[in-house]
Amino acid sequence: MLNRDPATRNPLRRGEPTFDGGRGLGGPGELELLSGIRQRAEGHGARALTLGIGDDCALLRPRPGEDLAVTTDLSVAGRHFRLEWHPAASVGHRTLARGLSDLASMGARPLAAFLSLGLPRELTGGARGGGASWLDRFLDGFFALANASQAALAGGDLAESPVAAADIVLIGAVPRGRALLRSGARAGEVLYMTGTLGGAAAAFQRLSGLAEAAEANRRPRRLRIPKSLGPELVPHLYPQPRLAQGQWLMRRRVATAAIDISDGLSTDLGHLCEESGVAAEVRAEALPVHAGATLEEALHGGEEYELLFTAPASARVPRSIAGVPITAIGRILRRSKGRPQVTLVSAEGSRSLEAHGWQHFK
Amino acid sequence: MLNRDPATRNPLRRGEPTFDGGRGLGGPGELELLSGIRQRAEGHGARALTLGIGDDCALLRPRPGEDLAVTTDLSVAGRHFRLEWHPAASVGHRTLARGLSDLASMGARPLAAFLSLGLPRELTGGARGGGASWLDRFLDGFFALANASQAALAGGDLAESPVAAADIVLIGAVPRGRALLRSGARAGEVLYMTGTLGGAAAAFQRLSGLAEAAEANRRPRRLRIPKSLGPELVPHLYPQPRLAQGQWLMRRRVATAAIDISDGLSTDLGHLCEESGVAAEVRAEALPVHAGATLEEALHGGEEYELLFTAPASARVPRSIAGVPITAIGRILRRSKGRPQVTLVSAEGSRSLEAHGWQHFK
């Protein structure tokens, strides 16, 4: 039944596009919320951002000779994160990291971010006793990574939603025609990756173990993570997008193709092969498996945000880029009948490596 | 409890950023869904879109000397639309119209759209008897407007969500430094608007009346709209963003400031005054009230997507632009102590016009 009070008779309305007065969440505190976000976003604008939060659109002024890379990623509570498991700051960090990693894989540098949040009202209010709200802590994690990555928050939207969801848009710049694509790999090239594999999956297993134990003990809704476990969980809670590495590979014209390992090596290498029209061979013993992770976690673990890239056999690829180790893990082959798209070679012999990226709840 | 099957042990995963293989919705039919969206998006790319759906990012190549305008709008079921009331094609149309209208108000021409959809699984499956799914019909409405507006769908994301939500990102181009801002209005200028006011609000009242009648009669979940009512409901179900008019005003250097009327005249004129540091006076008898709408609906009705703009008194403003009438509705005044931000002048005298844009459910 509709409320016929003139000020509230229409249950359908739109919020403002750029955090500038939209009342997407309703309630008296919302203008303060929005102005708080606007304040936190100020002073961190890239020079390319000529108009930030406060008008119908943000305005970007790319440098001449630049292409713009654009990516968007939707995270939904219960699917991409769990309110009971993940600290709010981790959800903010991970939301942004997903988008930044897509820029990294193209060799683009971040110009601006746009964040749309749908949130249950209880997540926007302060905790009892005047503590920070879930949204405050989400923004702590978001802005810490945004500032470190020089990704200015240039706009977004805020609306009440029964389910928490965050959609992140990243716009980056890359010299014209120089973006690293998935489609550039050729037979004979070497397959490389940054960092290690399986750390995020192992940390997730640890986190889910904690959660199960807490559930079994009927502990409170929000999981408490022991401080001592913090470092172990970092690869899952606070993964680092490889922006510096992607830009280095683009600038030095080293990589012929690249993709970020967001759905697991087996899945993302399949994408790269598909788009390049090639096959690949991975040597199991060459894989830089994260300490404490299993080979299975390294092969199929998602949300690593490491870069997978190819380079000609003659290319000089350094052992590390900006402090992150680079490892040759295999090679690119011609696609041919009867050959698996991706072959895993190990001491036990060769087998087809099927895509087993992270799956949903069943 | 987690499923320990290796392929499904992680309930947290990310989808692909660009509709290119992400399994955000899970299930066997999803790759088909995504490839269907990709297919529908192809062949409508702007020349500026050098790489569309299929890599980690889309790539845009702006013309030299152009600024990019970016806007993002989140629509959530039960708040911005109702699954029981709105035809799916209308939801698709309105989702895109919100973003396009923001471009229109800056005088920008659309380059590319990015669409993130969180959907309950039942909305993505076909109707019994092989009919089109809710998503199919959403896309019908979306692409009809996208194609008419030359806004290429360049990417997006798709995830299962218990609540339907759509986040739209629009990127447009405008000659450098020429975007129409909210902040450019000066005292002495004339206040104009495109089209009529109150039509969307009146149509919404009609729609909610139908819904209440159906509820009272315990009719089925989905509202059936009698064909004869179609034209009357168009201003609410299929509002037209004023892209041609905004670009004309920018190109001819006629407008000094502009905003789209998305939250109601009283609210959006307040925004314009705020950002320009001015006050305004509106003449009630000059308002182009839509046939069948009340003055209240014209003053406070949102989701009109008409443009409100200012021009110097000496400017030659035509009576219509691209077939849409232009009406002078008031003037811009100096901000001064004791003067309301917006004054409404009518036969009954002058009064302060307070912002009463559309509000949420209480």
Side-chain angles (χ1 to χ4, degrees), chain A residues 4 7 10-11 13-14 16 20 24 55 60-61 67-68 74 79-80 167 182 205 262-263 359, chain B residues 4 7 10-11 13-14 16 20 55 60-61 67-68 79-80 157 167 182 204-205 262-263 359-360:
Chain A
R4 286 291 180 182
N10 189 337
R13 62 165 306 286
R14 59 186 300 269
E16 282 303 295
D20 61 342
D55 212 304
L60 289 176
R61 182 164 297 171
D67 287 341
L68 291 185
L74 178 64
R79 188 147 294 273
H80 302 89
D167 194 37
R182 295 177 175 185
Q205 286 304 309
S262 49
D263 286 340
Q359 304 289 322
Chain B
R4 287 291 181 182
N10 189 340
R13 62 165 307 284
R14 60 185 300 269
E16 282 302 296
D20 60 343
D55 211 304
L60 289 176
R61 182 164 297 172
D67 287 340
L68 292 185
R79 189 147 292 275
H80 303 88
D157 204 355
D167 193 37
R182 295 178 176 186
F204 175 78
Q205 287 304 311
S262 49
D263 286 340
Q359 304 289 321
H360 276 297

Side-chain angles (χ1 to χ4, degrees), chain A residues 157-341:
Chain A
D157 204 354
L158 194 54
E160 195 177 338
S161 160
V163 176
D167 194 37
I168 184 74
V169 178
L170 261 296
I171 302 186
V174 64
R176 177 169 294 193
R178 298 274 300 280
L180 304 175
L181 307 184
R182 295 177 175 185
S183 54
R186 297 294 172 259
E189 293 180 342
V190 180
L191 186 65
Y192 295 89
M193 56 164 289
T194 63
T196 62
L197 275 178
F204 175 79
Q205 286 304 309
R206 191 72 195 241
L207 189 68
S208 74
L210 280 179
E212 283 176 25
E215 269 173 41
N217 291 323
R218 299 165 192 272
R219 290 279 174 70
R221 262 188 78 227
R222 293 275 159 91
L223 186 64
R224 273 175 203 280
I225 298 172
K227 270 219 167 137
S228 61
L229 263 185
E232 202 176 317
L233 299 183
V234 161
H236 175 70
L237 297 181
Y238 298 97
Q240 287 304 316
R242 300 306 189 190
L243 286 161
Q245 291 72 26
Q247 288 170 59
W248 192 98
L249 292 169
M250 177 279 298
R251 236 178 8 248
R252 302 295 185 96
R253 300 176 192 262
V254 165
T256 52
I259 189 171
D260 65 323
I261 304 180
S262 49
D263 286 340
L265 175 67
S266 60
T267 297
D268 290 313
L269 179 51
H271 289 319
L272 189 143
C273 287
E274 192 61 40
E275 295 290 330
S276 292
V278 297
E281 183 185 271
V282 171
R283 283 174 296 119
E285 84 275 11
L287 286 176
V289 180
H290 191 90
T294 65
L295 179 64
E296 282 299 299
E297 286 167 339
L299 290 171
H300 307 300
E303 302 183 302
E304 299 275 9
Y305 302 125
E306 299 296 348
L307 299 183
L308 185 66
F309 65 94
T310 55
S314 61
R316 279 205 212 163
V317 177
R319 291 193 175 191
S320 76
I321 301 173
V324 172
I326 305 296
T327 311
I329 61 168
R331 58 195 179 116
I332 300 297
L333 308 172
R334 258 183 306 158
R335 183 187 271 182
S336 74
K337 234 182 178 172
R339 169 181 284 169
Q341 191 172 53

Side-chain angles (χ1 to χ4, degrees), chain B residues 135-360:
Chain B
L135 175 58
D136 289 332
R137 289 177 290 115
F138 173 96
L139 293 172
D140 288 344
F142 184 93
F143 279 111
L145 182 58
N147 295 341
S149 314
Q150 300 187 284
L153 182 67
D157 204 355
L158 194 55
E160 194 177 338
S161 161
V163 176
D167 193 37
I168 184 74
V169 178
L170 261 296
I171 301 187
V174 64
R176 177 169 294 193
R178 298 275 301 280
L180 304 176
L181 307 184
R182 295 178 176 186
S183 54
R186 297 292 172 261
E189 293 179 343
V190 180
L191 186 64
Y192 295 90
M193 56 165 289
T194 63
T196 62
L197 276 177
F204 175 78
Q205 287 304 311
R206 191 72 194 240
L207 189 67
S208 74
L210 280 180
E212 283 176 23
E215 270 172 41
N217 291 323
R218 299 165 192 271
R219 289 280 172 70
R221 262 188 78 226
R222 294 274 159 93
L223 186 64
R224 274 176 203 278
I225 298 173
K227 270 221 166 135
S228 61
L229 264 185
E232 201 176 317
L233 298 183
V234 160
H236 174 71
L237 297 181
Y238 299 96
Q240 287 304 314
R242 299 307 188 191
L243 286 161
Q245 292 72 25
Q247 289 170 60
W248 192 98
L249 292 168
M250 178 279 298
R251 234 176 13 243
R252 301 295 184 96
R253 300 176 191 262
V254 165
T256 53
I259 189 171
D260 65 323
I261 305 179
S262 49
D263 286 340
L265 175 66
S266 60
T267 297
D268 290 314
L269 179 51
H271 289 319
L272 189 143
C273 287
E274 192 61 41
E275 296 289 331
S276 293
V278 297
E281 183 184 271
V282 171
R283 284 175 294 120
E285 83 277 10
L287 286 176
V289 180
H290 191 90
T294 66
L295 179 63
E296 283 298 300
E297 286 167 337
L299 289 171
H300 307 299
E303 303 183 301
E304 298 276 8
Y305 302 125
E306 298 298 346
L307 298 183
L308 185 67
F309 65 94
T310 55
S314 61
R316 280 203 213 164
V317 177
R319 292 192 173 193
S320 76
I321 301 174
V324 173
I326 306 295
T327 311
I329 61 167
R331 59 194 180 117
I332 299 298
L333 306 172
R334 257 184 307 159
R335 183 188 272 184
S336 75
K337 236 183 176 170
R339 168 180 284 167
Q341 191 172 53
V342 179
T343 303
L344 182 72
V345 183
S346 68
E348 288 97 60
S350 290
R351 64 175 174 95
S352 169
L353 181 64
E354 304 297 332
H356 283 305
W358 293 132
Q359 304 289 321
H360 276 297

